[in-house]
Amino acid sequence: MSRLGRFRNLLEAIAACDWHDAEMVMSAVLEEARADAPLMPFGEIDDDAEFWAAMATYEELRAWFLACGRRLAHRDLGRRGKIRLAQLLLADLSDEDRKAALAAARTGSRRRQVTQPKRRQAEGPRR
């Protein structure tokens, strides 16, 4: 059976269940899928990274992002890699925060100079 066929069967099974029962089962399945850290990649590493990021809670994403950022800071990403990373990091900042972040980078200041964003609730079931 194709992936699309399995997907349709799953949707039909969920629709046929009482909502509370479906919610309990889906939450348990998703929680089990989140229980472990990523294993060796089975396919393309970018696809696996996207999968694990989609399954992670906000706290996990934040911790992984900061840990990866510290490791990447000591690697040679090359000019294009550094520009791409900077673009991703600065894209959602307000003009004021972007200017503050760039000024802090120029001066080497580690003092918090940008406004703290409102914390959004993590997507998906909570642990």
Side-chain angles (χ1 to χ4, degrees), residues 2 5 22 26 30 32 46-47 50 52 85-86 95 110 119 122:
S2 71
M26 289 185 296
L30 290 173
E32 185 65 28
D46 290 341
D47 293 339
E50 185 62 39
W52 285 106
L85 184 58
D95 286 340
R110 291 184 173 244
R119 187 166 178 183

Side-chain angles (χ1 to χ4, degrees), residues 5-17:
R6 291 190 307 270
F7 176 77
R8 286 184 180 147
N9 287 346
L10 178 60
L11 287 179
E12 289 172 9
I14 291 168
C17 288

Side-chain angles (χ1 to χ4, degrees), residues 96-116:
E96 180 183 328
D97 287 345
R98 192 176 300 113
K99 289 175 186 174
L102 292 172
R106 276 188 222 107
T107 63
S109 173
R110 291 184 173 244
R111 198 174 81 229
R112 182 178 296 269
Q113 296 180 1
V114 295
T115 58
Q116 186 69 21

Side-chain angles (χ1 to χ4, degrees), residues 63-81:
W64 292 342
F65 175 80
L66 294 173
C68 290
R70 284 190 292 271
R71 297 284 304 256
L72 283 172
H74 300 291
R75 300 285 176 127
D76 183 16
L77 299 176
R79 181 176 182 270
R80 290 175 58 188

Side-chain angles (χ1 to χ4, degrees), residues 32-93:
E32 185 65 28
R34 292 183 189 205
D36 293 323
L39 301 173
M40 294 296 291
F42 292 112
E44 294 295 321
I45 193 163
D46 290 341
D47 293 339
D48 283 358
E50 185 62 39
F51 170 79
W52 285 106
M55 298 300 289
T57 64
Y58 170 81
E59 290 79 13
E60 289 170 330
L61 286 172
R62 183 182 167 280
W64 292 342
F65 175 80
L66 294 173
C68 290
R70 284 190 292 271
R71 297 284 304 256
L72 283 172
H74 300 291
R75 300 285 176 127
D76 183 16
L77 299 176
R79 181 176 182 270
R80 290 175 58 188
K82 288 178 183 179
I83 290 172
R84 184 173 176 213
L85 184 58
Q87 287 172 329
L88 289 171
L89 292 173
L90 297 172
D92 292 334
L93 293 179

